[in-house]
Amino acid sequence: MRAVSSLLVLAAIPAALAVKTHDFKTCSQAGFCRRGRALSTRAAESPSWSSPYSVDASSISVANGQASFTAAVKSSIYPEVKFALDVRIHDDGVVRVRMDEVDGMRKHYDEAASWALIAEPKISQQIQWDVGKDGVRAVYGAKKDIEVNVSFEPLKVTLLRDGKEQVLLNGRGLLHMEHFRTKESVEKSKEGLVTSEAGAEGDDAQVVLGAHPRVAWFEGDSEDGWWEETFNSFTDPKPKGPESLSVDLDFPNHGHVYGIPQHATRLDLPTTTGEDAYYDDPYRLYNADVFEYLADSTMSLYGSIPLMHAHSADSTVAIFNAVGSETWIDVGHPSPKSTSSHWISESGILDVFILPGPTPQDVFAQYARLTGTPALPAHWALGYHQCRWNYVSSEDVRSVQKRFDEEDIPVDVFWLDIEYSEDHKYFIWDKKHFPDPVDMIRDVEAIERKMVVIIDPHLKRTDDYPVYKQATELGILVKKQDGTTDYDGWCWSGSSAWVDFFHPGSWDWWKTLFKVESQGSQWSWIESTVNTGIWNDMNEPSVFNGPEISMPRENIHYGGWEHRDVHNINGMLFSNLTSQAVAARTNPPQRPFVLTRSFYAGSQRFGAMWTGDNLGTWEHMEVGVKMVLANNLGGFAFSGSDVGGFFGNPEPEMLVRWYGVGIFSPFFRAHAHIDTKRREPFLLDEPYKSIVRDMIRLRYTMLPVWYTAFRETSVTGMPVVRPQYVVFPHDEAGASIDDQFMIGSSGLLVKPVTRKGVTEETVYLAEDQVYYDYFSNHAYRGAAKGKNITVAAELHQIPVFIRGGSIVPTRERPRRSSPLMKYDPFTLRVALSKEGTARGELYLDDGVTYSHQEGKFVWREFSAEKPAKKTVRISSHDLGARKPAEAVDHVALSAYDRSNDFAKKVADVRVEKMVVLGLSAKPSSVTVSGKELQWTFTPGVAASDKQEGTASVLIIKDPKLSITSDWAIDIKA
């Protein structure tokens, strides 16, 4: 079991850097999780087990002209309790299954999906349900290959493709929605009942509880954690009693599952149940401030996305379980080619979306249509971010910026942590150390850089703090259990209150706070600028004196909902409203930058995330790569881990390697704890400083690749960084690989080095194709069944490859910040495939506003083709004109004007260099429009060859081709 090895890891970490596991529950310490696991055990031990839930066939009601039906659900153990079932099939084939208690004592929380979804999904008007004697059935899909069966007795939902089971809901009979009840009603139901334990003898055979035998076989014979629960010194009064939800969601023909971020573990989720389970505890989704978390654990971390992908070489499917409360998930493999999962939630209704795939690309599109695509970030946000807790003064910030410029190290953003604020009253500057905040920010912005300032959710409870005072007057603070008294907890600010962002009265008020002009009697942050980004930390929420370092579950939010119902959603609303507030500072709005620590399904629409308080260890560097990949699978592409680790003082080798990871992360930030030594890259000794400088410059060189990848994810939902199985779904050998990845559709393959003392690395090539070393142009050959290659990986080297068939646009001129590059020329690397062809894309817009949604952008396709036997033609075409409806996020343009305002501004931006890899022979001519160009050719291995070695290289010098125009270069042998 993993518990043993985790203890060994803990033993190797200094006591000051060890996670306080006793602050956080295990499944055995959570009553509803114990009940759910006990239910699963009873089911596994009973050969005749059958779910007590069944559909009342006489109650079936099929909607007229829609693929939707409702029905009553009965429970054989509680025949007096009513449940309702609602099953729908959306236009894109996604199946939604909802079940809730009807006419109960209380209402189960049913609003989680409303916060996650971008809109109510459209129900198909083409698909029809067929009601039979034993169930309801629908067949659909272009090939009529998808089938959904809803069985009546017991209730079971099955998704099939080509007759093979893809997803089973309640196939093992673990569905259980605990109905609302009172202590008195339970006691009354037990009157006169005395049962005996099997095998017990004598007086001890009497069970005091006396559970009804009709119930005990399913629910167990004890009221385990129903009415009250104590953990450490905290008691949860559970005023609503038991209300948990259990459901089994299985994948009988898929041997790999991914997702359910955020956990520090492998991408292909290890098992938590069954023979030789890797972990003891289920995966936990409960947003928590886990200080110095373990690098290999199922512990909950800062965010929760209840989305699980299931994959085989034949197909990919997924389930999205829209629940906002604490959830535990057991994962098992009944066989190497099948997966079981058991979801146990503290509260909420059954609201499961079954995503039928069948490809990874289909699954990402289906999920994006539900919860939205990642926001297209401001271009500068993809540059290098320099942060620490804390830059201590205005002059400190200016000094750090000066050192970056003196050492010629690019940087786009400087960050301020909590110490900028007076007594941790966020928005309020500590004028002793930051006497001139606006001037300081403008000094940074003078070089087209930006500042990001932290705004945490806890408000210091003092009347001289206008933000707290106004929130109190508006009555929009989170309440204690009585529903009227403002909750008082402890955080960085001392005695603190929390805004209830579920309360509509908080929304416009919060937006007003960020205005940089005076708002009359309404306080606003006039000591800021419209370009300042915002960092939302501690929004799980973190409460230092609360249970599990968070808010009591019995606290009350708007609508009377308990905190337990909405805990995992809470942090998303904070960053959502902050993102809206930052965008609304200007008219028209600019793209906001907001970094959040806590997140939920849908958070991708509002900004970026990072993996929290990692340690400066090789293990955390390694798992950070996997966590970023997992977040990308969860739809949250703009993600990264803090370079260098938040805690500790990494040695130079480790820090250099971590920069090698960071430059290939969607979000690239270095950060450090207040107790660590300063470790800005300009402080490194040689050769480390020069290596890191070159790495950061490489990031800036590749910004066109990253921005183009973000355009794609903002439209399609495809990940920015893609694990092996996403790119090569039919390759079983690559399904568990999580230490290398592709960047968007660029063709760049990256294998960061995350181990000490490494001088060479092994890279997996999944296909029979040529791959070129990005730096040396060495050509490697893959194989149809996959192949491992060994490559050099000295400290200054990062294994990066261009997949044959790709064209990679870069900007090669070093600048101090990314906005200074906006009129720089491009270099195109044309990496010919073994067939002699290639393709790539470039997307550009102003990088700041939303004018791209009005058609003000440039979107080009570059291609290399063979129009004749001895000719390679490299050409540029307008993708905006060809695919206007697919060009940008949130808008389906009907047409595209290639002479739009932005295109005019960059019309003089040119291709200054072209590098063609893998030609079979020296050209006889290289021409554009019949005019011979300047070029040089270095002989080498051809793309079509079978041997490896340095590829042939054709360099075309300054063809003076506009990046906005159509053109074609003919290379004749």
Side-chain angles (χ1 to χ4, degrees), residues 288-320:
D289 182 1
V290 184
F291 220 49
E292 304 144 349
Y293 57 85
L294 295 173
D296 186 2
S297 173
T298 59
M299 285 182 69
S300 59
L301 292 177
Y302 311 94
S304 299
I305 300 178
L307 172 73
M308 179 179 284
H309 293 230
H311 177 74
S312 72
D314 295 327
S315 68
T316 307
V317 295
I319 60 99
F320 169 48

Side-chain angles (χ1 to χ4, degrees), residues 715-732:
V715 174
T716 68
M718 283 290 285
V720 167
V721 285
R722 301 176 185 175
Q724 199 74 18
Y725 89 91
V726 172
V727 184
F728 303 101
H730 303 299
D731 178 28
E732 176 62 28

Side-chain angles (χ1 to χ4, degrees), residues 359-365 368 373-374 632-633 635 637 709-722 726-727 744-745:
T359 68
Q361 186 173 357
D362 292 325
V363 167
F364 291 119
T373 58
N632 271 254
L633 298 186
F710 267 96
R711 183 219 67 86
E712 183 180 2
T713 194
S714 73
V715 174
T716 68
M718 283 290 285
V720 167
V721 285
R722 301 176 185 175
V726 172
V727 184
S745 298

Side-chain angles (χ1 to χ4, degrees), residues 155-175:
L155 168 61
K156 181 174 72 171
V157 180
T158 309
L159 176 79
L160 304 98
R161 183 179 293 275
D162 293 326
K164 291 179 66 174
E165 292 178 333
Q166 305 290 294
V167 182
L168 281 178
L169 187 156
N170 201 34
R172 288 182 286 141
L174 304 184
L175 173 64

